[in-house]
Amino acid sequence: MSALWKTTLKDPDYDKPYGDVDEWRDEPIRHRYVHGGFKDTDLRFSFYFPPAEQYEGRFFQPILAVSGTEHAFGSGTLNGIGGSIAFALDSGAYMVESNLGRLTPYPGEDSTITGFRASAVTAEYSRIVAAEMYGEHRPFGYCFGGSGGGFKTMSCMENTEAWEGGVPFIIGGPQSLPNVFSVQAHAMRILWDKFPMIVDAIDPGGSGDMYAGLSAEEREALAEVTGMGFPPRAWFDVHRIAAGYTGVWSMIADNMIKLDPQYFEDFWSVPGYLGANPTESLRQARVQYKTRVVSPILVDEAKQLGIATGVAIFRTEAMEDIPVALRVEGLPDANLMGAMLSVKSGKAAGHNFWIISAHDDVVMTGQGEAHFEGLSGIAAGDEVLIDNSVYLAFQTYHRHQVHPNYRVWDQFCKAGQRVYPQRPNLIGTSMSKPGSGSVQSGRFAGKMIVVECLMDEAAYPWQGAWYDELVHRVQGPAADDKFRLWLVDHAMHLAPWVGSDDPRPVRTTRIVSYRGVIEQALRDVAAWVEHGVAPPASTTYQVVDGQVLVSAKATERNGVQPTVDLTANGGTRADVAVGEPVEFAAAIEVPLGAGTVVVAEWDFDGSGNYAVREMGLDGSASRLNVWASHAFTEPGTYFPAIRVRSQRHGNTAKPHGQVQNLGRVRVVVE
């Protein structure tokens, strides 16, 4: 390494960089890989440089949701959200990533390190290495991240000038935690058996009344979660949501207990809280059960047994001795999701896991920062207590956190008075700040495009609207010269995937990937910064009772996503006989300045195969009408879909920057 590696950087805690790997690699595409860190710290980094002839003077830097690894990008973990080496090189950029300054997925005592400092010093140091490789210059830098990484990306932009632009996506707000997860957990407990009926009502060709057939308690729970912003169309994926966000609960539970320990006693004893006068459903849901550990299950054994870990964090070397599951002597016949598993004897006594899921005699476990270091000592024979009292109390915590500046809490006020008793403190900011090192201010120096999904089950769409309003409030007219909000329909928090045993219609016929939007946003931010080319306008929207509404017409909606209007025999539902042809028609339109249609493909059976593709699309049309005819050979209810893709320059050969959307209809065959 040259003397440039010894250059003192701006942060005095990170002024001794070192490298331990520097080599050219040919997979998955030719690039120079540099790995290293900063002496006397836990900060590690990975750089991926293109050959000089492909380099255009910029870098992209993914900011992960949690700390602990600098290999997510290189391992392909970020491919679903625009984080591929091929995309970077095709964009004339090198890629930068770090472990955010920590060897574990927890922020530690100084959240500014994982929030923005480690990322900023890594960005600045990458410029030194880039200058060594390509010649003296200052590369333009663009950071991007989703969910917790979206929090951090905003924090990076608002607290430093290490990057000229940023793309935060699927973002939350200062009051997201724990409230967005508590309200959906409450709804899942009460409505679990009713979700098929709810989904059928709001699917194309359904009744449209998702409250039909629900009891008073069920109607109240559905109205509450919808009013808080959960998009009802996302309930089709409730089983994945339940498992995934119970994993998130395992990470935030310890911090919530630390911030408001008295709540978990008050809930069960103080009038005005649900637990003090429990409904029958709450009474039946409570579990307190003693058992013993038969054996801890580490990650390698879990893989051998085919057990899906379901953990919402990266497994790092610091966690290799912590079980991802426990085999126990017996389990009660009850829903244990979210329950605390307290260790009562043995080396790990006094510590606790959180149950993500349970099957037969195995519980999948997650853990928070307060206890994870002590959990490696759990052993066969240790006595444990399974108690879901804390998780049940958590499910209505949002009712006692009414914030006057957030309209979704208005439902808990009547005649100017709050319906439920309120906690002494609003803990949202205290819970979100450790994940980002700061609270959003709306002030930043560079350019920013925020991408939010309209079916996001974790970062409710109104939170993107909230940040849009904040930026315009604090920056005034200047905001239009530096900020955009693009909303993506038919997209959820995570990229869609299909399991081998998934029932039809599969996820990919209901939702699309937002990867192409992130890729285009990064390229547009770069063009905005480097050449003054303004990106397409922000999506036009309204927020009504917690739900974000957009126009069905691309020319009115704006943003970058094409719109699709699909009909079957002229409507959203067709009732036909076996063998009778159904005539499908789709009107596709791309917003002004967002590109042209490059792909249109049909799925008639709900398999997600999209086996029929419109031929002859040359990328020249921003408005397009396509037709198809299909006859079904078996009776049943089908949800045919058409998935379309637009690309800024109409390039049908380039996979990057393709923006997806879909249309769906119902066909009932008798």
Side-chain angles (χ1 to χ4, degrees):
M1 301 297 175
S2 76
L4 284 173
W5 284 85
K6 300 179 181 178
T7 302
T8 299
L9 300 172
K10 294 180 181 179
D11 193 320
D13 291 335
Y14 299 97
D15 62 353
K16 301 181 182 66
Y18 68 87
D20 51 22
V21 179
D22 187 345
E23 61 190 23
W24 281 93
R25 297 178 175 178
D26 292 321
E27 297 296 334
I29 193 169
R30 180 86 172 152
H31 68 281
R32 177 191 174 198
Y33 175 70
V34 176
H35 179 274
F38 289 79
K39 293 180 180 178
D40 304 319
T41 78
D42 289 339
L43 177 55
R44 308 287 186 268
F45 58 75
S46 291
F47 302 152
Y48 308 80
F49 295 102
E53 64 271 16
Q54 294 178 263
Y55 178 60
E56 297 177 5
R58 67 182 67 95
F59 69 87
F60 297 146
Q61 183 171 353
I63 311 295
L64 299 185
V66 295
S67 56
T69 182
E70 69 280 16
H71 300 295
F73 171 69
S75 67
T77 303
L78 302 181
N79 285 358
I81 56 171
S84 71
I85 296 176
F87 164 69
L89 271 60
D90 191 60
S91 304
Y94 67 88
M95 291 290 290
V96 173
E97 70 171 330
S98 80
N99 68 348
L100 306 182
R102 296 277 291 170
L103 300 178
T104 74
Y106 306 106
E109 295 182 1
D110 186 353
S111 61
T112 64
I113 292 175
T114 56
F116 55 87
R117 286 174 56 200
S119 295
V121 75
T122 301
E124 295 292 8
Y125 186 65
S126 79
R127 290 186 167 104
I128 295 172
V129 183
E132 177 190 59
M133 178 174 179
Y134 301 115
E136 196 61 37
H137 72 297
R138 186 184 189 279
F140 293 100
Y142 308 99
C143 56
F144 68 105
S147 192
F151 273 111
K152 292 178 175 68
T153 300
M154 289 183 285
S155 192
C156 285
M157 291 292 293
E158 292 182 351
N159 290 280
T160 82
E161 294 186 7
W163 303 269
E164 282 71 34
V167 180
F169 57 96
I170 51 175
I171 64 170
Q175 301 303 316
S176 294
L177 297 177
N179 302 297
V180 298
F181 298 118
S182 64
V183 71
Q184 71 180 38
H186 175 67
M188 287 188 289
R189 177 178 66 80
I190 293 174
L191 294 163
W192 189 260
D193 294 331
K194 299 299 176 67
F195 283 120
M197 182 173 68
I198 292 168
V199 171
D200 182 73
I202 59 179
D203 264 340
S207 70
D209 184 2
M210 64 180 182
Y211 294 97
L214 301 182
S215 69
E217 182 186 31
E218 291 164 347
R219 291 174 66 90
E220 179 183 279
L222 183 56
E224 186 171 326
V225 70
T226 305
M228 284 292 288
F230 187 98
R233 289 180 296 165
W235 285 126
F236 83 89
D237 214 9
V238 66
H239 290 88
R240 180 193 61 79
I241 292 171
Y245 297 107
T246 309
V248 173
W249 157 250
S250 73
M251 294 191 68
I252 68 174
D254 290 350
N255 196 25
M256 184 178 172
I257 294 171
K258 178 182 177 181
L259 289 169
D260 193 358
Q262 186 61 39
Y263 169 76
F264 298 97
E265 296 182 20
D266 291 350
F267 175 84
W268 295 102
S269 59
V270 175
Y273 295 89
L274 183 61
N277 185 25
T279 60
E280 183 60 25
S281 69
L282 179 62
R283 188 177 294 108
Q284 291 181 2
R286 196 174 187 183
V287 174
Q288 294 169 308
Y289 184 82
K290 290 182 179 180
T291 186
R292 290 185 179 274
V293 175
V294 174
S295 63
I297 300 174
L298 301 182
V299 65
D300 288 342
E301 182 184 355
K303 291 178 180 178
Q304 293 174 0
L305 295 173
I307 298 174
T309 58
V311 181
I313 55 178
F314 291 107
R315 301 293 299 188
T316 66
E317 291 183 8
M319 304 176 70
E320 62 183 9
D321 294 331
I322 300 174
V324 297
L326 298 173
R327 183 171 283 107
V328 296
E329 289 183 353
L331 292 173
D333 183 16
N335 186 349
L336 303 180
M337 193 172 287
M340 179 189 291
L341 188 148
S342 304
V343 186
K344 298 300 183 180
S345 66
K347 185 178 178 181
H351 297 288
N352 64 263
F353 291 95
W354 299 94
I355 296 178
I356 296 173
S357 62
H359 183 67
D360 294 332
D361 61 347
V362 174
V363 292
M364 303 306 304
T365 55
Q367 58 281 322
E369 186 170 12
H371 293 278
F372 85 98
E373 290 181 340
L375 292 170
S376 60
I378 194 167
D382 289 349
E383 182 180 325
V384 296
L385 172 65
I386 296 172
D387 187 344
N388 67 352
S389 300
V390 168
Y391 186 59
L392 294 175
F394 152 75
Q395 293 175 2
T396 50
Y397 192 76
H398 55 278
R399 294 179 177 178
H400 312 285
Q401 292 282 287
V402 173
H403 198 299
N405 297 335
Y406 296 84
R407 286 169 287 180
V408 296
W409 270 275
D410 290 350
Q411 62 181 302
F412 304 119
C413 299
K414 291 183 179 179
Q417 300 296 315
R418 292 167 182 174
V419 175
Y420 301 103
Q422 297 299 296
R423 303 306 299 163
N425 297 301
L426 298 172
I427 70 170
T429 297
S430 297
M431 291 198 70
S432 64
K433 188 175 180 180
S436 57
S438 68
V439 178
Q440 295 104 309
S441 68
R443 299 186 183 279
F444 52 88
K447 310 287 190 183
M448 183 186 293
I449 298 176
V450 169
V451 176
E452 200 82 329
C453 298
L454 290 178
M455 287 177 62
D456 196 321
E457 75 283 10
Y460 298 168
W462 67 262
Q463 293 170 115
W466 170 84
Y467 191 67
D468 180 25
E469 294 171 2
L470 175 66
V471 170
H472 281 84
R473 184 167 65 250
V474 302
Q475 302 211 34
D480 291 333
D481 296 328
K482 63 194 318 184
F483 181 81
R484 295 287 189 273
L485 170 63
W486 290 346
L487 300 176
V488 185
D489 199 9
H490 294 109
M492 296 177 68
H493 201 69
L494 300 177
W497 55 273
V498 178
S500 59
D501 58 348
D502 284 359
R504 298 182 183 187
V506 299
R507 291 182 184 88
T508 51
T509 66
R510 291 180 175 272
I511 57 175
V512 298
S513 168
Y514 51 79
R515 171 179 176 166
V517 184
I518 304 303
E519 292 178 337
Q520 190 58 56
L522 285 167
R523 289 178 169 177
D524 277 356
V525 164
W528 206 1
V529 168
E530 298 168 27
H531 306 293
V533 179
S538 291
T539 306
T540 302
Y541 63 87
Q542 290 182 302
V543 181
V544 179
D545 296 330
Q547 296 295 306
V548 177
L549 309 179
V550 296
S551 172
K553 296 182 179 180
T555 52
E556 298 175 358
R557 183 182 296 189
N558 297 321
V560 295
Q561 188 183 33
T563 57
V564 186
D565 181 14
L566 176 64
T567 60
N569 288 350
T572 59
R573 171 173 173 155
D575 292 83
V576 297
V578 170
E580 180 182 346
V582 181
E583 304 302 324
F584 299 94
I588 308 162
E589 187 174 14
V590 184
L592 182 66
T596 56
V597 181
V598 294
V599 174
E601 50 195 357
W602 299 88
D603 177 289
F604 296 113
D605 60 7
S607 66
N609 291 329
Y610 288 97
V612 179
R613 176 173 288 204
E614 292 291 329
M615 306 304 292
L617 297 185
D618 59 4
S620 63
S622 60
R623 301 178 67 179
L624 190 67
N625 293 302
V626 296
W627 297 268
S629 180
H630 184 79
F632 296 85
T633 59
E634 297 289 339
T637 298
Y638 299 86
F639 288 90
I642 181 172
R643 184 169 63 190
V644 305
R645 307 184 194 192
S646 62
Q647 210 268 349
R648 178 63 52 83
H649 304 293
N651 192 325
T652 58
K654 288 281 188 180
H656 307 301
Q658 291 192 359
V659 180
Q660 302 182 20
N661 201 353
L662 56 76
R664 303 175 71 236
V665 289
R666 182 190 305 239
V667 175
V668 179
V669 182
E670 296 180 348

